[in-house]
Amino acid sequence: MGKLLINQNKLNDKVIKELIDICPFKALEESDGKLEINAGCKMCKLCVKKGPKGVVEYVEEQVKSIDKSKWRGIAVYVDHVCGNIHPVTLELIGKARELASKINHPIYAIFIGNNIKESAKELLHYGVDQVFVYDNEELKDFRIEPYTKAFEDFINKVKPCSVLVGATTIGRSLAPRVAARFRTGLTADCTVLDMKENTDLVQIRPAFGGNIMAQIITPNRRPQFCTVRYKIMNAPERTEEVKGKITLCEVNKEDLKSNIEVLDVTEKEKEVSISEADVIIVAGRGIKTEKDMAMINELADLLGAQVAGTRPLIEMGWVDAKRQIGLSGRTVKPKLIITCGLSGSVQFVAGMNNSDHIFAINKDPNASIFNVAHYGIVGDLYEVIPKLINNIKNNIALV
Ligand SMILES: Cc1cc2nc3c(=O)[nH]c(=O)nc-3n(C[C@H](O)[C@H](O)[C@H](O)COP(=O)(O)OP(=O)(O)OC[C@H]3O[C@@H](n4cnc5c(N)ncnc54)[C@H](O)[C@@H]3O)c2cc1C
Ligand code: SF4
């Protein structure tokens, strides 16, 4: 990384105007005869290349190297509400085991809350070597400041090389704050994780609207942070065997002070989420009118399935926004997913390609959904779905 240096002594009104005109992002501003760079700078370096020679310079910053051997272990943040552990935690432990085996590091879990010691023991059935428990009354409800403090304490004491956090509402607010405390990198919503021999975590996620898969590493900082959505990784099987240990940790009570006072906690009515569904029927733009959704709903009812949609159907208001699958929607991993009249855009597929059985209906044999489908019918959904419904009702096999 580098930075821009403005040699203010080489400026005059003409040069300032020239440079301001060169910058396509309006990132150069004049203030009291000086030139300043604002947050709009995209580092395109046009001011360096096209501006008067030597006025704006690009200077490479010296990167301090770190001793990576001092950072050991893959840590998983235990996402929970009142001690009820979110299943994404187990999925991340599964991934942490795989990554740790490549570099021969231990697997840690950091569990912050109140009255959580019993729940912490459960994690030892999933292959965690050490669970660090911060059990304190001040940590009863999630509040960002004390949770950050406990997390910070854990990192300072344990020095894990990588930290995996579930991309839940809590994880998405906590992880960046803790990462910022250590001035280290965080990659959000990773879909693939790998580990290099030198302990650099390869964080892979869709970028530029899902058109490329970016591989991101944090070579000069530790720890390395990433968040991963629920249902992306596989949870390991629970074993009866327990190998690891629980370590109780203390933080100074003063440090756990918060400006947030939790007055009451009301449990939300349980919604049936498509993320939990075993069978999903997805409607795509091949559905011509809203009333044709009745056909999709009937098929879903017969199969005990949840209905979901692609983004255009959500935008048309035919399917609830919580039922959008894909990059900007939910990630699902059902036993069976039937896609009806959708093309299989990269943004959609990113949210469902780990499903156990993918069954696609599309009239275009070249539709990209067939590249990921395990079974497919090339045909008009207005003919295929009614037949399917009829066959299910009459208990007739599909083939
Ligand atoms: C940053 C970004 C994020 C995005 N996030 C998401 C996301 O989370 N989820 C999402 O879904 N999209 C997302 N999109 C939009 C995405 O790019 C596609 O536009 C969208 O997925 C297309 O939806 P579709 O497959 O239903 O429609 P289309 O691409 O129009 O496909 C319709 C398909 O239906 C078939 N068809 C038409 N009529 C029939 C028929 N009678 N019988 C059978 N088949 C028929 C056609 O052959 C065609 O393949 C995102 C885009 C961007 C840029
Ligand atoms: S690097 Fe590009 S964006 Fe930044 S100030 Fe120069 S011209 Fe503007």
Coordinates of all heavy atoms in Angstrom, one line a residue, residues 97-161:
R97 N -11.7 -27.0 12.1 CA -11.0 -28.3 12.2 C -10.2 -28.6 10.9 O -9.0 -29.0 11.0 CB -12.0 -29.4 12.5 CG -12.3 -29.5 14.0 CD -13.5 -30.3 14.2 NE -13.4 -31.7 13.7 CZ -14.3 -32.7 14.0 NH1 -15.2 -32.5 14.9 NH2 -14.1 -33.9 13.5
E98 N -10.9 -28.4 9.8 CA -10.2 -28.7 8.5 C -9.0 -27.7 8.3 O -7.9 -28.2 7.9 CB -11.3 -28.4 7.5 CG -11.0 -28.9 6.1 CD -12.0 -28.4 5.1 OE1 -13.2 -28.5 5.4 OE2 -11.6 -27.8 4.1
L99 N -9.2 -26.4 8.6 CA -8.1 -25.5 8.4 C -7.0 -25.7 9.4 O -5.8 -25.7 9.0 CB -8.7 -24.0 8.6 CG -9.8 -23.5 7.7 CD1 -10.3 -22.2 8.1 CD2 -9.2 -23.4 6.2
A100 N -7.3 -26.0 10.6 CA -6.3 -26.2 11.6 C -5.4 -27.4 11.3 O -4.2 -27.5 11.6 CB -7.0 -26.4 13.0
S101 N -6.1 -28.5 10.7 CA -5.3 -29.7 10.4 C -4.2 -29.4 9.4 O -3.2 -30.1 9.4 CB -6.3 -30.8 10.0 OG -6.8 -30.5 8.7
K102 N -4.4 -28.4 8.6 CA -3.4 -28.1 7.5 C -2.2 -27.5 8.1 O -1.1 -27.5 7.5 CB -4.0 -27.2 6.5 CG -5.1 -27.8 5.7 CD -5.5 -26.9 4.5 CE -6.5 -27.6 3.6 NZ -6.8 -26.9 2.4
I103 N -2.3 -26.8 9.3 CA -1.1 -26.1 9.8 C -0.8 -26.6 11.2 O 0.0 -26.0 11.9 CB -1.4 -24.6 9.8 CG1 -2.8 -24.2 10.4 CG2 -1.2 -24.0 8.4 CD1 -3.0 -22.8 10.6
N104 N -1.5 -27.7 11.6 CA -1.3 -28.3 12.9 C -1.5 -27.3 14.1 O -0.6 -27.2 15.0 CB 0.1 -28.9 12.9 CG 0.2 -29.9 14.0 OD1 -0.8 -30.4 14.5 ND2 1.4 -30.2 14.4
H105 N -2.6 -26.6 14.0 CA -2.9 -25.6 15.1 C -4.1 -26.1 15.9 O -4.9 -26.9 15.4 CB -3.4 -24.2 14.4 CG -2.2 -23.3 14.1 ND1 -2.3 -22.0 14.1 CD2 -0.9 -23.6 13.7 CE1 -1.2 -21.4 13.7 NE2 -0.3 -22.4 13.5
P106 N -4.3 -25.6 17.1 CA -5.4 -26.0 17.9 C -6.7 -25.2 17.5 O -6.6 -24.2 16.8 CB -5.0 -25.6 19.3 CG -4.0 -24.5 19.2 CD -3.3 -24.8 17.8
I107 N -7.9 -25.8 17.9 CA -9.1 -25.1 17.6 C -9.7 -24.5 18.9 O -9.8 -25.3 19.9 CB -10.1 -26.1 17.0 CG1 -9.6 -26.7 15.8 CG2 -11.5 -25.4 16.7 CD1 -9.8 -28.1 15.6
Y108 N -10.0 -23.2 18.9 CA -10.5 -22.6 20.1 C -11.9 -22.1 19.8 O -12.3 -21.9 18.7 CB -9.7 -21.3 20.4 CG -8.2 -21.6 20.7 CD1 -7.3 -20.7 20.1 CD2 -7.8 -22.6 21.5 CE1 -5.9 -20.9 20.3 CE2 -6.4 -22.8 21.7 CZ -5.5 -22.0 21.2 OH -4.2 -22.2 21.4
A109 N -12.7 -22.0 20.9 CA -14.0 -21.3 20.8 C -14.0 -20.2 21.9 O -13.5 -20.4 23.0 CB -15.1 -22.3 21.1
I110 N -14.6 -19.1 21.5 CA -14.7 -18.0 22.5 C -16.2 -17.8 22.7 O -17.0 -17.6 21.8 CB -14.0 -16.7 22.1 CG1 -14.6 -15.5 22.9 CG2 -14.1 -16.4 20.6 CD1 -13.8 -14.3 22.9
F111 N -16.6 -18.0 24.0 CA -18.0 -18.0 24.4 C -18.2 -16.9 25.4 O -17.6 -16.9 26.5 CB -18.3 -19.4 25.0 CG -19.7 -19.8 25.0 CD1 -20.1 -21.1 25.3 CD2 -20.7 -18.9 24.6 CE1 -21.4 -21.5 25.3 CE2 -22.1 -19.3 24.6 CZ -22.4 -20.6 24.9
I112 N -19.0 -15.9 25.1 CA -19.2 -14.7 25.9 C -20.7 -14.7 26.3 O -21.6 -14.7 25.4 CB -18.8 -13.4 25.2 CG1 -17.4 -13.5 24.6 CG2 -19.0 -12.2 26.1 CD1 -17.0 -12.3 23.7
G113 N -21.0 -14.6 27.6 CA -22.4 -14.5 28.0 C -22.5 -14.7 29.5 O -21.6 -14.4 30.3
N114 N -23.7 -15.1 30.0 CA -23.9 -15.3 31.4 C -24.6 -16.7 31.6 O -25.5 -17.0 30.8 CB -24.8 -14.2 31.9 CG -24.9 -14.2 33.4 OD1 -25.9 -13.8 34.0 ND2 -23.9 -14.6 34.1
N115 N -24.2 -17.4 32.6 CA -24.7 -18.7 32.9 C -24.6 -19.6 31.6 O -25.5 -20.3 31.2 CB -26.2 -18.7 33.3 CG -26.3 -18.1 34.7 OD1 -25.4 -18.3 35.5 ND2 -27.4 -17.4 34.9
I116 N -23.4 -19.7 31.1 CA -23.2 -20.4 29.8 C -22.2 -21.6 30.0 O -21.9 -22.2 29.0 CB -22.6 -19.4 28.7 CG1 -21.4 -18.6 29.2 CG2 -23.7 -18.5 28.2 CD1 -20.7 -17.8 28.2
K117 N -21.8 -21.8 31.3 CA -20.8 -22.9 31.5 C -21.3 -24.2 31.0 O -20.5 -25.0 30.4 CB -20.4 -22.9 32.9 CG -19.6 -21.7 33.3 CD -19.2 -21.7 34.8 CE -18.7 -20.3 35.2 NZ -19.4 -19.8 36.3
E118 N -22.5 -24.5 31.2 CA -23.1 -25.8 30.8 C -23.1 -25.9 29.3 O -22.7 -26.9 28.7 CB -24.5 -26.1 31.4 CG -24.5 -26.6 32.8 CD -23.7 -27.8 33.0 OE1 -23.8 -28.8 32.3 OE2 -22.8 -27.8 33.9
S119 N -23.6 -24.9 28.7 CA -23.7 -24.9 27.2 C -22.3 -25.0 26.6 O -22.1 -25.6 25.5 CB -24.3 -23.6 26.6 OG -25.4 -23.3 27.3
A120 N -21.3 -24.4 27.3 CA -19.9 -24.5 26.8 C -19.4 -25.9 26.6 O -18.7 -26.3 25.7 CB -19.0 -23.7 27.7
K121 N -19.8 -26.8 27.6 CA -19.3 -28.2 27.6 C -19.8 -28.9 26.3 O -19.1 -29.8 25.8 CB -19.9 -28.9 28.8 CG -19.3 -28.5 30.1 CD -19.9 -29.4 31.2 CE -19.5 -28.8 32.6 NZ -20.3 -29.2 33.6
E122 N -20.9 -28.5 25.8 CA -21.5 -29.1 24.6 C -20.5 -29.0 23.4 O -20.3 -29.9 22.6 CB -22.8 -28.5 24.2 CG -23.5 -29.0 23.0 CD -23.8 -30.5 23.1 OE1 -23.8 -31.1 24.2 OE2 -24.0 -31.1 22.0
L123 N -19.8 -27.9 23.4 CA -18.9 -27.6 22.2 C -17.7 -28.6 22.2 O -17.1 -28.9 21.1 CB -18.3 -26.2 22.3 CG -19.3 -25.1 22.2 CD1 -18.8 -23.8 22.6 CD2 -19.8 -25.0 20.7
L124 N -17.4 -29.2 23.3 CA -16.3 -30.2 23.4 C -16.6 -31.4 22.6 O -15.8 -32.2 22.3 CB -15.9 -30.5 24.8 CG -15.4 -29.3 25.6 CD1 -15.2 -29.7 27.1 CD2 -14.2 -28.6 25.0
H125 N -17.9 -31.6 22.3 CA -18.3 -32.8 21.6 C -18.1 -32.6 20.1 O -18.4 -33.5 19.3 CB -19.8 -33.1 21.8 CG -20.1 -33.6 23.2 ND1 -19.9 -34.9 23.6 CD2 -20.5 -32.9 24.3 CE1 -20.2 -35.0 24.9 NE2 -20.6 -33.9 25.3
Y126 N -17.6 -31.5 19.7 CA -17.5 -31.2 18.2 C -16.0 -31.0 17.9 O -15.7 -30.5 16.8 CB -18.3 -30.0 17.8 CG -19.8 -30.3 17.9 CD1 -20.5 -30.1 19.1 CD2 -20.5 -30.8 16.8 CE1 -21.8 -30.4 19.2 CE2 -21.8 -31.1 16.9 CZ -22.5 -30.9 18.1 OH -23.8 -31.2 18.2
G127 N -15.1 -31.3 18.8 CA -13.7 -31.3 18.4 C -13.0 -30.0 18.8 O -11.9 -29.8 18.2
V128 N -13.5 -29.2 19.6 CA -12.8 -28.0 20.0 C -11.8 -28.3 21.1 O -12.1 -29.1 22.0 CB -13.8 -26.9 20.6 CG1 -13.1 -25.7 21.1 CG2 -14.9 -26.6 19.6
D129 N -10.6 -27.8 21.0 CA -9.5 -28.1 21.9 C -9.7 -27.3 23.2 O -9.4 -27.8 24.3 CB -8.1 -27.8 21.3 CG -7.9 -28.8 20.2 OD1 -7.9 -30.0 20.4 OD2 -7.7 -28.3 19.0
Q130 N -10.1 -26.1 23.1 CA -10.2 -25.3 24.3 C -11.4 -24.2 24.1 O -11.4 -23.5 23.1 CB -8.9 -24.6 24.6 CG -8.7 -24.1 26.0 CD -7.3 -23.7 26.3 OE1 -6.4 -23.9 25.4 NE2 -7.0 -23.1 27.4
V131 N -12.3 -24.2 25.1 CA -13.3 -23.2 25.0 C -13.0 -22.1 26.1 O -12.9 -22.5 27.2 CB -14.7 -23.8 25.3 CG1 -15.8 -22.8 25.1 CG2 -15.0 -25.0 24.5
F132 N -12.9 -20.9 25.6 CA -12.6 -19.8 26.5 C -13.9 -19.2 26.9 O -14.6 -18.6 26.0 CB -11.6 -18.8 25.9 CG -10.3 -19.4 25.7 CD1 -10.0 -20.1 24.6 CD2 -9.3 -19.2 26.7 CE1 -8.7 -20.7 24.4 CE2 -8.0 -19.7 26.5 CZ -7.7 -20.5 25.4
V133 N -14.3 -19.2 28.2 CA -15.6 -18.8 28.6 C -15.5 -17.5 29.4 O -14.8 -17.4 30.4 CB -16.3 -19.9 29.4 CG1 -17.7 -19.4 29.9 CG2 -16.5 -21.2 28.6
Y134 N -16.2 -16.5 28.9 CA -16.4 -15.2 29.7 C -17.8 -15.2 30.2 O -18.7 -14.9 29.5 CB -16.1 -14.0 28.7 CG -14.7 -13.9 28.3 CD1 -14.1 -14.7 27.3 CD2 -13.8 -13.0 29.0 CE1 -12.8 -14.6 27.0 CE2 -12.5 -12.9 28.7 CZ -12.0 -13.7 27.7 OH -10.6 -13.6 27.3
D135 N -17.9 -15.6 31.5 CA -19.3 -15.7 32.0 C -19.4 -14.7 33.1 O -18.8 -14.7 34.1 CB -19.4 -17.2 32.7 CG -20.8 -17.5 33.0 OD1 -21.6 -16.6 33.3 OD2 -21.2 -18.7 32.9
N136 N -20.2 -13.7 32.8 CA -20.4 -12.5 33.7 C -21.8 -12.0 33.6 O -22.3 -11.9 32.5 CB -19.3 -11.5 33.3 CG -19.1 -10.4 34.4 OD1 -20.1 -9.8 34.7 ND2 -17.9 -10.3 34.9
E137 N -22.3 -11.5 34.7 CA -23.6 -10.9 34.7 C -23.7 -9.7 33.7 O -24.7 -9.5 33.0 CB -23.9 -10.3 36.1 CG -25.3 -10.6 36.5 CD -25.5 -10.2 38.0 OE1 -24.9 -10.8 38.9 OE2 -26.1 -9.1 38.1
E138 N -22.6 -9.0 33.6 CA -22.6 -7.8 32.6 C -22.7 -8.3 31.2 O -22.9 -7.4 30.3 CB -21.3 -7.0 32.8 CG -21.0 -6.5 34.2 CD -22.0 -5.4 34.6 OE1 -22.4 -4.7 33.7 OE2 -22.4 -5.4 35.8
L139 N -22.5 -9.5 31.0 CA -22.5 -10.1 29.6 C -23.7 -10.8 29.3 O -23.8 -11.6 28.3 CB -21.2 -10.9 29.4 CG -19.9 -10.2 29.6 CD1 -18.7 -11.3 29.7 CD2 -19.6 -9.3 28.4
K140 N -24.7 -10.6 30.1 CA -26.0 -11.4 30.0 C -26.6 -11.2 28.6 O -26.9 -12.1 27.9 CB -27.0 -11.0 31.1 CG -28.3 -11.8 31.1 CD -29.0 -11.5 32.4 CE -30.4 -12.1 32.4 NZ -31.3 -11.2 31.7
D141 N -26.8 -9.9 28.2 CA -27.4 -9.7 26.9 C -26.3 -9.1 26.0 O -25.4 -8.5 26.5 CB -28.5 -8.6 27.1 CG -29.6 -9.1 28.0 OD1 -30.2 -10.1 27.7 OD2 -29.9 -8.4 29.0
F142 N -26.5 -9.3 24.7 CA -25.5 -8.8 23.8 C -25.5 -7.3 23.8 O -26.5 -6.7 23.5 CB -25.7 -9.3 22.4 CG -24.7 -8.7 21.4 CD1 -23.4 -9.0 21.4 CD2 -25.2 -7.7 20.5 CE1 -22.5 -8.4 20.5 CE2 -24.3 -7.1 19.6 CZ -23.0 -7.5 19.6
R143 N -24.4 -6.7 24.3 CA -24.1 -5.3 24.2 C -22.7 -5.1 23.6 O -21.8 -5.8 24.1 CB -24.3 -4.6 25.5 CG -25.7 -4.6 26.0 CD -25.9 -3.9 27.4 NE -25.1 -4.6 28.4 CZ -24.9 -4.2 29.6 NH1 -25.3 -3.0 29.9 NH2 -24.1 -4.9 30.4
I144 N -22.6 -4.3 22.6 CA -21.4 -4.3 21.8 C -20.2 -3.9 22.6 O -19.1 -4.6 22.4 CB -21.6 -3.4 20.5 CG1 -20.5 -3.5 19.6 CG2 -21.8 -1.9 20.9 CD1 -20.6 -4.7 18.7
E145 N -20.3 -3.0 23.5 CA -19.0 -2.5 24.2 C -18.4 -3.6 25.1 O -17.2 -4.0 24.9 CB -19.2 -1.2 25.0 CG -19.8 -0.1 24.3 CD -21.3 0.0 24.8 OE1 -22.0 -0.9 24.7 OE2 -21.6 1.1 25.3
P146 N -19.2 -4.2 26.0 CA -18.6 -5.2 26.8 C -18.2 -6.5 26.1 O -17.2 -7.1 26.4 CB -19.6 -5.5 27.9 CG -20.9 -4.9 27.4 CD -20.5 -3.9 26.5
Y147 N -19.0 -6.9 25.1 CA -18.6 -8.1 24.3 C -17.3 -7.8 23.5 O -16.5 -8.7 23.4 CB -19.8 -8.4 23.3 CG -20.8 -9.4 23.9 CD1 -21.5 -9.1 25.0 CD2 -21.0 -10.6 23.3 CE1 -22.4 -10.0 25.6 CE2 -21.9 -11.5 23.8 CZ -22.6 -11.2 24.9 OH -23.5 -12.1 25.5
T148 N -17.1 -6.6 23.0 CA -15.9 -6.3 22.3 C -14.7 -6.4 23.3 O -13.7 -6.9 23.0 CB -16.0 -4.8 21.7 OG1 -17.1 -4.8 20.9 CG2 -14.7 -4.5 21.0
K149 N -15.0 -5.9 24.5 CA -13.9 -5.9 25.5 C -13.4 -7.3 25.8 O -12.3 -7.6 25.9 CB -14.4 -5.2 26.8 CG -13.4 -4.6 27.6 CD -12.8 -3.3 27.0 CE -11.5 -3.0 27.6 NZ -10.7 -2.1 26.8
A150 N -14.4 -8.2 26.0 CA -14.1 -9.6 26.3 C -13.4 -10.3 25.2 O -12.4 -11.0 25.3 CB -15.4 -10.4 26.7
F151 N -13.9 -10.0 24.0 CA -13.2 -10.5 22.7 C -11.8 -10.1 22.6 O -10.9 -10.8 22.3 CB -14.0 -10.1 21.5 CG -14.1 -11.0 20.4 CD1 -15.3 -11.2 19.7 CD2 -13.0 -11.8 20.0 CE1 -15.4 -12.1 18.6 CE2 -13.1 -12.7 18.9 CZ -14.3 -12.9 18.3
E152 N -11.6 -8.8 22.9 CA -10.3 -8.2 22.8 C -9.3 -8.9 23.8 O -8.2 -9.2 23.5 CB -10.4 -6.7 23.2 CG -9.6 -5.7 22.5 CD -9.8 -4.3 23.0 OE1 -10.9 -3.9 23.3 OE2 -8.8 -3.6 23.1
D153 N -9.9 -9.1 25.0 CA -9.1 -9.7 26.1 C -8.6 -11.1 25.6 O -7.5 -11.5 25.8 CB -10.0 -9.8 27.3 CG -9.2 -10.5 28.5 OD1 -8.4 -9.7 29.1 OD2 -9.4 -11.7 28.7
F154 N -9.6 -11.8 25.0 CA -9.3 -13.2 24.5 C -8.1 -13.1 23.5 O -7.2 -13.9 23.5 CB -10.5 -13.8 23.9 CG -10.3 -15.0 23.0 CD1 -10.0 -16.2 23.5 CD2 -10.4 -14.8 21.6 CE1 -9.7 -17.3 22.7 CE2 -10.1 -15.9 20.7 CZ -9.8 -17.1 21.3
I155 N -8.2 -12.2 22.5 CA -7.2 -12.1 21.5 C -5.8 -11.8 22.1 O -4.8 -12.3 21.7 CB -7.6 -11.2 20.4 CG1 -8.8 -11.8 19.6 CG2 -6.5 -10.9 19.4 CD1 -9.4 -10.9 18.6
N156 N -5.9 -10.8 23.0 CA -4.6 -10.4 23.6 C -3.9 -11.6 24.4 O -2.7 -11.7 24.3 CB -4.8 -9.3 24.6 CG -4.9 -7.9 23.8 OD1 -4.3 -7.8 22.8 ND2 -5.8 -7.0 24.3
K157 N -4.8 -12.4 25.0 CA -4.2 -13.5 25.8 C -3.9 -14.7 25.0 O -2.8 -15.3 25.2 CB -5.2 -13.9 26.9 CG -5.3 -13.0 28.1 CD -6.3 -13.5 29.1 CE -6.4 -12.5 30.3 NZ -7.8 -12.5 30.8
V158 N -4.7 -15.0 24.0 CA -4.6 -16.3 23.3 C -3.8 -16.2 22.0 O -3.1 -17.1 21.6 CB -6.0 -17.0 23.1 CG1 -5.9 -18.3 22.4 CG2 -6.7 -17.1 24.4
K159 N -3.9 -15.0 21.4 CA -3.3 -14.8 20.1 C -3.6 -15.8 19.0 O -2.7 -16.5 18.5 CB -1.7 -14.6 20.3 CG -1.3 -13.4 21.2 CD 0.1 -13.0 20.8 CE 0.5 -11.8 21.6 NZ -0.4 -10.6 21.4
P160 N -4.8 -16.0 18.7 CA -5.2 -16.9 17.6 C -4.8 -16.3 16.3 O -4.7 -15.1 16.1 CB -6.7 -17.0 17.7 CG -7.1 -15.7 18.3 CD -6.0 -15.2 19.2
C161 N -4.4 -17.2 15.3 CA -4.0 -16.7 14.0 C -5.2 -16.3 13.2 O -5.1 -15.4 12.4 CB -3.1 -17.7 13.3 SG -3.8 -18.8 12.2

